[in-house]
Amino acid sequence: MRALVFDAYGAQPVVRHVPEPAPAEHGAVVRVEATGLCRSDWHAWAGHDRTIALPHVPGHELAGAVEAVGSTVTGWQPGDRVTVPFVCACGSCAQCLSGNHQVCERQTQPGFTGWGSFAELVALDHADVNLVGLPDDMAAATAAGLGCRVATAHRAVVAQGRVAPGEWVAVHGCGGVGLSAVMVAVACGARVVAVDVSTAALGLARDFGAEVTVDATTEGVVPAVRAATGGGAHLSLDALGSAETCGASIRSLRTRGRHVQVGLLPPDLGHPAIPMSRVIAHELVLVGSHGMPSHDYPGLLAMVTSGRLPADRLVTRRIPLDEAGPALVSMGEPGFPAGVTVIEPQATGPA
Ligand SMILES: [Zn+2]
Ligand SMILES: [Zn+2]
């Protein structure tokens, strides 16, 4: 099969033929119809997590059709259209037994712990625990986002952020997960302030229902958010993952506000300074959010199919596998297109 491979961290990824994966006894192989390009793919390529074994195929945000299943899988068969949370849970550890599959003690992640979905086929573990069936009329490019950014945003805003109608939600960083968080918060009846350095990203945030946008290149983010929200946001998300956005998110909260850390902060990039004195004095709540368990997908799918969460509008660019390498590399550069880039590995024939 064809896959996008990199042989060294930071080296140009190339499309080449590699052996087709076989399903584990408990696993499935999925033919990838669409797979989103995510900032964590870029972190992996750039070498911010040196546990990734080389050579490597990135990609973890996917939708497609089941191609084959292992001998113990009972719930799925070839042809079923599916997506999968990027945290593939074991289904049997203490966290899984408590329903917290998103922090499974024995989790695997396509595109990180093993080869991922920037390929014609991808192997996924524990299919009966993890696969999520898709409505027939949901486009693969839309469904791919449910594997990472849209699901991550949903859990961050709803389960971890405990958003309530009428609350002010600040979203720092309007990449794929940030724009998804804007949509989820608006769908929940919240009022949204979106912060970014890109006017194009802020334009999309406005299109998706943000009432106020703050351009971090020209405005002081914290005073702007505090002014727009009448004293600070009830809920604020760092959807990018940087010392600046993490600090600004915490400082833009009102008393007893909740900060949810969503964007990755790889230890190799340093540890952000957290204003803990403010956390104490204002009784702020800081929580992390990591993916979403497969059993929470019905609520998310209902939000998408009802039109309340128009996840299809997040997709601004669709490219074949041959263009995935340059797109991945350019993710860390200015001028990367706003919105979500989706790779369609079946769109090109064999080389
Ligand atoms: Zn992702
Ligand atoms: Zn587990």
Side-chain angles (χ1 to χ4, degrees), residues 36-41 60-61 86 112 147-149 152:
L37 188 52
C38 177
R39 193 168 172 82
S40 49
D41 297 313
H60 61 279
E61 182 180 276
F86 72 88
F112 300 99
C148 177
R149 72 197 70 218
T152 295

Side-chain angles (χ1 to χ4, degrees), residues 57 188 247 286 347:
V57 175
C188 291
L286 311 186

Side-chain angles (χ1 to χ4, degrees), residues 148-158 176-178 180-182 184 237 262:
C148 177
R149 72 197 70 218
V150 182
T152 295
H154 186 278
R155 179 168 172 78
V157 171
V158 176
V177 73
S180 303
V182 170
V184 173
L237 284 73
V262 183

Side-chain angles (χ1 to χ4, degrees), residues 89-96 104-107:
C90 74
S92 56
C93 72
Q95 289 302 333
C96 284
C104 169
E105 293 164 14
R106 291 191 288 262
Q107 64 186 260

Side-chain angles (χ1 to χ4, degrees), residues 166-183:
E167 284 192 327
W168 278 105
V169 177
V171 177
H172 297 260
C174 292
V177 73
L179 289 171
S180 303
V182 170
M183 280 188 177

Side-chain angles (χ1 to χ4, degrees), residues 66-161:
V66 172
E67 179 84 0
V69 295
S71 59
T72 63
V73 174
T74 58
W76 302 98
Q77 50 191 339
D80 290 343
R81 292 183 76 236
V82 295
T83 185
V84 68
F86 72 88
V87 175
C88 288
C90 74
S92 56
C93 72
Q95 289 302 333
C96 284
L97 293 176
S98 75
N100 288 295
H101 297 68
Q102 76 285 355
V103 287
C104 169
E105 293 164 14
R106 291 191 288 262
Q107 64 186 260
T108 57
Q109 298 182 7
F112 300 99
T113 62
W115 281 13
S117 53
F118 293 176
E120 290 176 308
L121 299 167
V122 64
L124 303 167
D125 288 335
H126 298 286
D128 283 333
V129 176
N130 296 303
L131 295 190
V132 174
L134 294 174
D136 289 340
D137 57 352
M138 186 178 286
T142 303
L146 306 187
C148 177
R149 72 197 70 218
V150 182
T152 295
H154 186 278
R155 179 168 172 78
V157 171
V158 176
Q160 297 297 81

Side-chain angles (χ1 to χ4, degrees), residues 180-199:
S180 303
V182 170
M183 280 188 177
V184 173
V186 168
C188 291
R191 308 176 71 180
V192 174
V193 184
V195 182
D196 204 275
V197 295
S198 154
T199 50

